[in-house]
């Protein structure tokens, strides 16, 4: 039988909350048995029990920059595709 994971990095904070809920329902302790990290930075994650460790992304800047790039692509459809990485921050809390 395969070993269960000892950590889960969820693609969103909402899914990470679901992972914590399911782990607690299964009798696991977070983070002692299972470390959980979310990705987004939605506001309530610090209020959870345990508080969720997250990778916080700049939501407003992400939306604004996406619109700028879309408008630029509409104006110049043959311009090369751009790849841009926005700043992010790890907020370590009790879930990991």
């Amino acid at each position: 039988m395969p070993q269960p994971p000892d950590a889960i990095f969820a693609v969103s904070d909402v899914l990470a909350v679901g992972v914590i809920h399911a782990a607690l329902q299964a009798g696991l302790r977070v983070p002692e048995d299972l470390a959980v990290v979310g990705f987004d930075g939605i506001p309530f994650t610090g209020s959870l029990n345990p508080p969720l460790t997250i990778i916080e992304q700049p939501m407003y800047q992400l939306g604004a920059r996406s619109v700028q790039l879309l408008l630029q692509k509409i104006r110049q459809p043959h311009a090369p595709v751009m790849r841009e990485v926005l700043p992010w921050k790890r907020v370590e809390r009790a879930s990991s």
Side-chain angles (χ1 to χ4, degrees):
M1 180 173 197
Q3 289 290 331
D6 57 8
I8 294 181
F9 181 79
V11 71
S12 73
D13 293 343
V14 172
L15 290 177
V17 170
V19 168
I20 290 174
H21 180 73
L24 296 174
Q25 291 289 324
L28 298 174
R29 299 167 299 151
V30 176
E32 294 85 355
D33 301 321
L34 180 68
V36 181
V37 177
F39 184 87
D40 279 333
I42 56 180
F44 71 87
T45 55
S47 305
L48 298 171
N49 187 20
L52 181 62
T53 296
I54 60 170
I55 302 300
E56 185 177 85
Q57 59 181 334
M59 299 289 221
Y60 179 83
Q61 186 181 1
L62 180 64
R65 189 65 183 131
S66 296
V67 170
Q68 290 171 349
L69 291 172
L70 175 61
L71 293 173
Q72 180 180 335
K73 190 66 173 171
I74 290 169
R75 285 191 300 269
Q76 301 172 357
H78 300 295
V81 175
M82 293 182 60
R83 180 178 187 268
E84 192 170 325
V85 178
L86 297 177
W88 54 273
K89 176 173 73 171
R90 186 185 78 215
V91 180
E92 193 162 335
R93 297 190 183 117
S95 70
S96 64

